[in-house]
Amino acid sequence: MGDTMIRFTLLPWTITLWLFTFYVNSTHAAGIRIANGEWEPFLSEKLPFYGHTSHIVTKSFEASGVSVHYEFMPWGRAEKLVESGGIDASIIWVPTEDRKVFAHFTETVLILEEVIFFNKPLHSNLEFPLNNLKMGAPMGSEVSSYESLIEAGRLELVRAKDIKTGFMMLINGRIDIFPLSKPIGLNMLHSQFSQKQRELVGYQSALKPIVNKYSVMISRKSSNAEHWVQAFNH
């Protein structure tokens, strides 16, 4: 009688444990869909493992049993899909207060210095504080470091389709400055533009050093969001 009671008492706990294990394994098997994009040399559909930063993200999730599927798209679309819950996550983004409303962020994946690229025929060098200039920025990129200048009317923000388009605008004199992470900008200039074009572009640090910290952005509308953040960070 006693052994029978113990067996019946343990049965619900056994079933609960089995269901929990099944749920965790199913979650891992389903994997995470991540929006990715062209951001060489760190992210690219053309690079091995989709770039070394994509590789870090993949291996970090896989170490916790989460499979990764990348979908390449423009950055503006990726951000909107994360906000709407149309995709699980996107790499890699600077956490901002606006983005934290609709997304969770993992621990930092990459840290990069931001510099200001400028049109040399228009400006032999940049004078601070910046004033009366047209500033380019790729769609989806955050410009919080310059927000006060934009709101005060000292900088006019001009959005570019992508980084390459932004540099074309800079070279052609349609914008004066183009703030960008230094390795991203230099890689684009040397891979996509001629020496003659590169000679028209200079760069220098901002008045106050700007260092951006990039993370995986995970949609709050995903039912597995918190699990994926913990899995990645682990």
Side-chain angles (χ1 to χ4, degrees):
M1 180 67 176
D3 290 343
T4 303
M5 286 297 294
I6 292 173
R7 282 198 296 270
F8 276 106
T9 302
L10 290 177
L11 185 58
W13 292 104
T14 304
I15 293 173
T16 300
L17 179 61
W18 179 84
L19 288 173
F20 175 77
T21 303
F22 176 78
Y23 167 75
V24 171
N25 290 335
S26 298
T27 300
H28 288 180
I32 183 170
R33 294 169 57 234
I34 300 179
N36 206 332
E38 294 301 318
W39 207 56
E40 294 188 52
F42 302 103
L43 308 168
S44 177
E45 195 170 12
K46 303 184 293 290
L47 292 174
F49 306 108
Y50 301 137
H52 96 280
T53 304
S54 299
H55 194 46
I56 290 172
V57 171
T58 300
K59 289 299 181 182
S60 296
F61 274 119
E62 287 181 348
S64 293
V66 180
S67 61
V68 174
H69 174 69
Y70 290 116
E71 297 181 22
F72 282 80
M73 62 185 70
W75 295 112
R77 182 182 172 212
E79 185 174 28
K80 289 184 181 301
L81 284 176
V82 171
E83 183 175 6
S84 68
I87 200 161
D88 299 317
S90 183
I91 61 173
I92 50 178
W93 297 80
V94 174
T96 63
E97 293 307 313
D98 288 343
R99 289 172 183 157
K100 288 178 182 178
V101 172
F102 60 83
H104 296 285
F105 287 87
T106 65
E107 291 182 3
T108 301
V109 178
L110 188 66
I111 301 174
L112 296 176
E113 176 194 3
E114 182 174 292
V115 297
I116 304 174
F117 291 89
F118 61 92
N119 181 297
K120 289 168 69 175
L122 295 177
H123 309 278
S124 57
N125 53 56
L126 293 180
E127 296 182 4
F128 295 96
L130 300 174
N131 192 39
N132 196 29
L133 299 174
K134 290 185 178 181
M135 185 186 85
M139 295 295 294
S141 66
E142 67 97 19
V143 292
S144 59
S145 298
Y146 306 91
E147 195 168 10
S148 61
L149 296 176
I150 295 169
E151 291 177 350
R154 293 169 57 186
L155 290 180
E156 179 185 344
L157 178 62
V158 181
R159 285 290 182 181
K161 175 185 175 183
D162 50 33
I163 295 172
K164 184 177 181 179
T165 303
F167 271 120
M168 286 299 303
M169 295 168 67
L170 186 68
I171 290 168
N172 293 332
R174 293 172 55 195
I175 57 176
D176 299 286
I177 60 174
F178 193 42
L180 207 62
S181 293
K182 183 178 177 180
I184 301 297
L186 293 179
N187 181 81
M188 176 62 72
L189 284 171
H190 284 275
S191 64
Q192 300 295 323
F193 295 91
S194 67
Q195 181 177 346
K196 185 177 180 179
Q197 290 173 312
R198 293 197 297 270
E199 289 174 352
L200 301 176
V201 179
Y203 70 88
Q204 64 186 70
S205 298
L207 183 60
K208 294 181 179 179
I210 299 174
V211 177
N212 293 323
K213 297 181 179 182
Y214 298 88
S215 304
V216 181
M217 180 168 67
I218 299 177
S219 176
R220 288 183 180 272
K221 291 192 175 181
S222 170
S223 59
N224 296 320
E226 293 184 7
H227 164 72
W228 281 328
V229 171
Q230 292 171 5
F232 182 88
N233 290 346
H234 174 72

